[in-house]
Amino acid sequence: MSVTTSDTGSAAEPYVRFQHVTKRFPGNGRRGTLTAIRDVSLEIARGEIFGVIGHSGAGKSTLVRLINGLETPSEGRVHVGPHEITALSERGRRGVRRDIGMIFQQFNLFQSRTVAGNVAYPLKVAGVGKADRDRRVARLLDFVGLLDRAHDHPEQLSGGQKQRVGIARALATEPSLLLADEATSALDPETTGEVLALLRRINRELGVTIVIITHELDVIRSVADRVAVLDGGQLVESGSLYEVFAHPRTEAAARFVGTTLRDRPSAATLARLRRAHSGRLVTFRVRDRTGFQTALAATFLRHEVAAEIVFGGISELQDRPVGSLTFELTGPPGAVDASLEALRADGVEPAEED
Ligand code: ADP
């Protein structure tokens, strides 16, 4: 398999480390074994927000359960902090798990307990005394903006508020690592934004390392420092958010990015553009370099090529431009080819839409 790791995105001090991890599940007889994770190696640095993206069934939840030791790899090793999870007894794993907070899509709150009772629960399990517990619960609820709802029950709260209770509960034991498995998938876009802002605060103010697992690229795009793309159990690409989005090196990553940025015409759009435009349709990825579009325009002008933008989109990621522009190019015989040749010589890579 090929794993592409960008050099700009290498982890500083690895906090979570997968070394050639494979996880197989026994199949249902008809299918034989099922490989959910296939030879995955990755490093997540202390203090970063790391995103894992992939379609449903790609192996994301299995990856999370390998980090917190709820699953054991069939092959390979998993390290979390100083511990090799794979070498620990169940008791040892429980100890490591105390340093890992988890939040879930369906919140998993106790309906019979109050908001404060839910947040207090892990502290109770850890044997923290009542006075200390009350103090910590109040501080946590204040942090997530729900101090005034302490005595309510979960059913009295909105989805976003429930997730904030889930987050406060996950932080109760002051974990170094927070795993968020599809934590915003049940929320509307505005509430998702609020929860993501809270996760950012947790990362920046409390220094908690966060791993976000999601099929929603917009989520990853707004919070992650680095990302990994899982496809069919394989880690097909990883690197800084910008590198993976601006320069996806694998087909699977490019497909993912395309569905989020929506900057490349779909097959249906392309067919419509062809009917409306008789010239050559050529797409350019936007470059993070001043004068890029001026250079394009100057080259077309020099070759007497008329260039009209017919599709595209530019947005920002980590304060840098990302996206692509599709041009209709028309001109005297050979002129379009000559202009594209000149651009290629200048390091620009035009993609002919066919
Ligand atoms: P994702 O979270 O990306 O949707 P999962 O990690 O849940 O993916 O699943 C990856 C694959 O592993 C799926 O084909 C799923 O059916 C299979 N799988 C996950 N857990 C088990 C299990 N306990 N037993 C058998 N198969 C499993």
Side-chain angles (χ1 to χ4, degrees), residues 25-26 31 34 36 54-63 71 181 213:
F25 289 111
R31 279 191 315 193
L34 188 145
H55 294 298
S56 176
K60 305 182 296 299
S61 296
T62 305
L63 190 100
E71 298 286 0
D181 190 359
I213 307 288

Side-chain angles (χ1 to χ4, degrees), residues 72-250:
T72 305
S74 311
E75 284 163 37
R77 284 191 255 184
V78 177
H79 292 260
V80 176
H83 309 285
E84 184 190 335
I85 296 261
T86 26
L88 292 177
S89 63
E90 182 47 36
R91 200 186 142 147
R93 287 181 192 204
R94 272 202 299 276
V96 175
R97 238 174 260 145
R98 270 198 284 280
D99 200 29
I100 302 177
M102 281 285 296
I103 52 174
F104 310 89
Q105 180 170 359
Q106 296 306 334
F107 322 125
N108 296 12
L109 301 178
F110 294 114
Q111 299 302 323
S112 59
R113 288 176 202 256
T114 60
V115 163
N118 269 281
V119 179
Y121 182 76
L123 294 172
K124 224 168 166 172
V125 171
V128 177
K130 172 123 178 51
D132 195 11
R133 212 158 64 210
D134 289 349
R135 235 188 342 268
R136 279 161 73 171
V137 169
R139 206 175 56 222
L140 285 158
L141 287 178
D142 187 38
F143 186 79
V144 301
L146 286 175
L147 195 51
D148 57 337
R149 308 302 295 267
H151 303 296
D152 287 346
H153 280 81
E155 81 244 16
Q156 294 167 274
L157 305 180
S158 69
Q161 289 168 332
K162 283 182 196 157
Q163 193 54 293
R164 282 192 273 151
V165 177
I167 290 171
R169 182 185 55 186
L171 294 179
T173 51
E174 299 179 352
S176 313
L177 176 66
L178 182 64
L179 304 176
D181 190 359
E182 299 284 0
T184 55
S185 300
L187 305 176
D188 62 53
E190 196 183 324
T191 316
T192 293
E194 287 165 18
V195 168
L196 294 179
L198 178 58
L199 292 179
R200 258 194 307 267
R201 261 182 69 212
I202 290 165
N203 174 253
R204 307 285 186 255
E205 292 176 23
L206 308 180
V208 175
T209 306
I210 300 182
V211 180
I212 294 190
I213 307 288
T214 183
H215 67 281
E216 299 176 300
L217 268 124
D218 282 330
V219 166
I220 291 291
R221 191 181 163 183
S222 58
V223 289
D225 301 311
R226 294 193 311 132
V227 296
V229 182
L230 269 186
D231 189 40
Q234 298 196 342
L235 191 147
V236 290
E237 191 154 336
S238 74
S240 78
L241 182 71
Y242 186 83
E243 282 305 317
V244 172
F245 271 69
H247 308 291
R249 297 166 202 207
T250 58

